Amino acid sequence: CRACAGQAGPLRTCERYRVRRRPFGIPGAEDEAFLQRVMPGRVLSGEEEVKPFNVDWLKSVRGCSQLVVKPQTTAEVSQVLRYCHERNLAVTPQGGNTGLVGGSVPVFDEIILSTALMNRIISFDKVSGILVCQAGCVLERLNEYVEEQGFIMPLDLGAKGSCHIGGNVATNAGGLRLLRYGSLRGTVLGLEVVLADGSVLDCLASLRKDNTGYDLKQLFIGSEGTLGVITAVSILCPQKPKAVNVAFLGCQSFTKVLETFTTCRAMLGEILSAYEFMDEKCMELVERHLKLSSPVTGSSPFYVLIETSGSNSTHDEEKLNNFLEQATASGLVTNGTVATDDKKIKASHLRERITEALTHDGYVYKYDISLPVGKLYDLVTDMRARLGQSAKNVVGYGHLGDGNLHLNITADSYSQSLLEAIEPFVYEWTARCSGSISAEHGLGFKKRHFIQYSKPSEAVALMQRFKAMLDPKGILNPYKTLPESS
């Protein structure tokens, strides 16, 4: 991390996050030679070649790995893990490296196992909509492929141009379509996973119903690469909607945002596919740093993005227009616009660009919280009051339809005193409301020690027992997701 970047020699401790290197083997020339024999030309060891894999997307944490391996097949992943298990070498699985909690980069000198070359589509059933693919397939490419067949991927993320489906599954990523199609725990039908000792668990089912024993794939969905390396995914894709409408609206208060959601859900029903909100600070940052203009005239304290997806454009437009008339007449919405063609839809989706805009505003403290919908914005208000002038900006946006708040705090540079003012206050506040400290980003490296704010000690202990059973040497993505066993 930035606090430890000046340490000379191999890192043994990380001061900022108070973690000590475990007694794993240190990868050397002998290990590189073996891996080169397994994957000729697909092992990176030069400092400049390895550097991009050592740093997370936010550039807030970095590791000191000396080796990156790029397998193409499950058999090669199996060989790598079997060897690392025997040699007690730690491994960090890495997909598109778009995570926001430091889960996809090494902490010390772990070998990085990149799935970038595992990008083959294995099969697609045009009748059932079931896609089977390798874990390294980029989400946007998959969506383009299934769209040609009349389907779409059940998830949509701002990082879709670079994130991998295996990483999406490993973190149980949510995104913009969760309100309509649910989480990956419901749409993923099967997985192929390589365990820590190199054994392959083939649960790559293409059945929507299978009640034979425990549903083992659920162990690996959201496990963040700590229990096994996902190498292939079977996923159910919904049919591509024939009619998509987007409305971008302004509201005068968060209470109005909530009331608009209630009215929207009642009037749009089955065609409602997304309900996103952002505050005016988010809009200011997007306009200032990315030069994107607001789709609506005038300014509002809050903005709402509504998406509908259906099979009949006339029917959907009529329902949307009726809703907008009702929302405007009742004073819920003060201004807004509707876009139905693809170009305008993409322009209206500036909600996806907020994360990018924040990175231009300075150092970002990011929090991904689930809360009861009625309390969603109270945390932002309380955090602004708590931090005062010590923070540059405190903004809130997210998936209101499923109670997911993205709280972001920016400052000119990293400050330990500011971090201490934010944490653990943000987690204590969330716990008092029976919320979750991670709605969709996972715990990764940065938040593993705060899991007790969302899970009872008995649940954490059981997770640690699963980890010990499946990865007894602890070589898979160490220092991530779970606190140290006592």
Side-chain angles (χ1 to χ4, degrees):
C1 66
R2 292 180 178 182
C4 302
Q7 270 188 234
L11 287 174
R12 291 288 176 253
T13 61
C14 171
E15 297 302 328
R16 174 179 168 188
Y17 291 101
R18 300 179 181 87
V19 60
R20 181 176 297 275
R21 186 186 186 279
R22 295 180 195 164
F24 298 117
I26 298 176
E30 179 184 352
D31 305 309
E32 182 180 354
F34 171 82
L35 295 170
Q36 285 283 12
R37 288 195 296 273
V38 174
M39 293 165 289
R42 289 180 279 121
V43 178
L44 310 180
S45 58
E47 183 178 345
E48 289 304 309
E49 289 181 290
V50 173
K51 186 177 179 180
F53 297 87
N54 267 316
V55 184
D56 75 325
W57 185 79
L58 290 174
K59 295 181 172 55
S60 62
V61 291
R62 73 170 181 87
C64 292
S65 178
Q66 303 298 308
L67 284 176
V68 177
V69 297
K70 303 179 80 173
Q72 291 179 317
T73 65
T74 300
E76 289 177 346
V77 175
S78 176
Q79 284 182 276
V80 170
L81 291 187
R82 185 180 301 113
Y83 178 82
C84 290
H85 187 261
E86 292 170 356
R87 298 273 294 172
N88 195 35
L89 298 171
V91 177
T92 295
Q94 186 177 104
N97 197 18
T98 58
L100 301 177
V101 289
S104 58
V105 293
V107 177
F108 296 105
D109 54 3
E110 301 91 79
I111 294 172
I112 297 171
L113 191 155
S114 169
T115 59
L117 299 182
M118 301 186 70
N119 56 7
R120 185 168 59 90
I121 294 172
I122 298 169
S123 66
F124 181 71
D125 188 319
K126 296 180 182 180
V127 176
S128 65
I130 296 172
L131 171 74
V132 181
C133 64
Q134 286 186 300
C137 290
V138 173
L139 178 60
E140 188 170 46
R141 177 175 171 255
L142 289 177
N143 199 66
E144 290 169 353
Y145 174 83
V146 298
E147 272 197 353
E148 293 175 356
Q149 322 293 321
F151 292 80
I152 59 171
M153 293 297 289
L155 73 161
D156 183 23
L157 310 172
K160 59 191 171 189
S162 51
C163 66
H164 295 182
I165 188 63
N168 298 151
V169 174
T171 57
N172 190 30
L176 305 175
R177 292 176 178 165
L178 190 140
L179 178 63
R180 177 68 176 271
Y181 301 117
S183 76
L184 288 172
R185 293 196 179 278
T187 54
V188 170
L189 303 179
L191 294 175
E192 180 184 71
V193 182
V194 181
L195 303 180
D197 63 0
S199 58
V200 179
L201 179 64
D202 186 355
C203 292
L204 202 60
S206 293
L207 300 172
R208 295 188 65 178
K209 286 188 172 182
D210 181 5
N211 275 344
T212 53
Y214 305 130
D215 190 359
L216 295 178
K217 70 175 182 292
Q218 296 294 346
L219 271 178
F220 302 98
I221 299 173
S223 66
E224 302 186 67
T226 62
L227 300 181
V229 177
I230 296 171
T231 51
V233 178
S234 172
I235 189 165
L236 180 66
C237 300
Q239 284 197 307
K240 180 181 178 179
K242 295 178 180 178
V244 175
N245 296 281
V246 168
F248 198 89
L249 313 173
C251 295
Q252 287 301 308
S253 67
F254 192 71
T255 298
K256 298 291 187 185
V257 171
L258 295 174
E259 291 174 1
T260 301
F261 176 57
T262 301
T263 303
C264 175
R265 191 168 46 180
M267 296 187 69
L268 298 182
E270 78 288 350
I271 65 170
L272 178 63
S273 54
Y275 191 96
E276 305 287 308
F277 90 96
M278 66 187 80
D279 61 24
E280 61 182 338
K281 285 288 184 183
C282 291
M283 184 66 75
E284 289 175 12
L285 293 176
V286 169
E287 291 179 336
R288 184 192 317 157
H289 296 302
L290 304 182
K291 311 303 179 187
L292 296 176
S293 59
S294 172
V296 299
T297 57
S299 60
S300 299
F302 294 93
Y303 296 91
V304 170
L305 175 74
I306 296 171
E307 181 187 82
T308 65
S309 304
S311 58
N312 186 311
S313 59
T314 303
H315 168 268
D316 294 358
E317 288 174 19
E318 182 180 353
K319 292 192 76 166
L320 181 58
N321 288 331
N322 288 339
F323 156 71
L324 293 174
E325 288 176 9
Q326 171 70 22
T328 303
S330 59
L332 297 179
V333 171
T334 55
N335 53 5
T337 185
V338 177
T340 53
D341 62 89
D342 289 343
K343 186 176 180 180
K344 289 183 179 179
I345 287 170
K346 290 177 181 177
S348 295
H349 272 188
L350 51 77
R351 151 72 181 83
E352 297 180 13
R353 306 286 301 278
I354 296 173
T355 297
E356 181 185 350
L358 284 161
T359 63
H360 293 285
D361 202 52
Y363 187 87
V364 188
Y365 303 82
K366 304 186 76 67
Y367 299 93
D368 163 46
I369 307 293
S370 269
L371 289 166
V373 176
K375 297 180 180 294
L376 206 62
Y377 201 73
D378 292 348
L379 177 56
V380 183
T381 304
D382 287 356
M383 188 61 76
R384 281 183 183 147
R386 178 179 176 83
L387 300 182
Q389 297 301 310
S390 61
K392 192 174 179 181
N393 279 298
V394 178
V395 307
Y397 66 97
H399 318 295
L400 189 136
D402 48 58
N404 183 183
L405 169 71
H406 294 305
L407 169 69
N408 287 255
I409 299 152
T410 65
D412 288 325
S413 59
Y414 169 76
S415 165
Q416 182 66 26
S417 61
L418 180 55
L419 179 66
E420 290 172 357
I422 301 169
E423 299 176 9
F425 172 80
V426 63
Y427 301 126
E428 292 169 345
W429 197 103
T430 302
R432 285 197 299 271
C433 295
S434 301
S436 169
I437 67 166
S438 177
E440 60 181 2
H441 292 166
L443 297 169
F445 174 63
K446 294 181 179 179
K447 300 181 180 181
R448 65 184 185 129
H449 286 299
F450 299 110
I451 190 173
Q452 73 275 7
Y453 288 101
S454 293
K455 290 290 186 291
S457 58
E458 295 83 2
V460 175
L462 185 58
M463 293 179 201
Q464 290 169 329
R465 287 166 62 188
F466 281 130
K467 170 71 172 174
M469 178 182 69
L470 293 173
D471 182 16
K473 293 187 176 182
I475 66 167
L476 284 179
N477 219 12
Y479 324 107
K480 314 287 176 59
T481 305
L482 296 176
E484 300 288 341
S485 301
S486 56

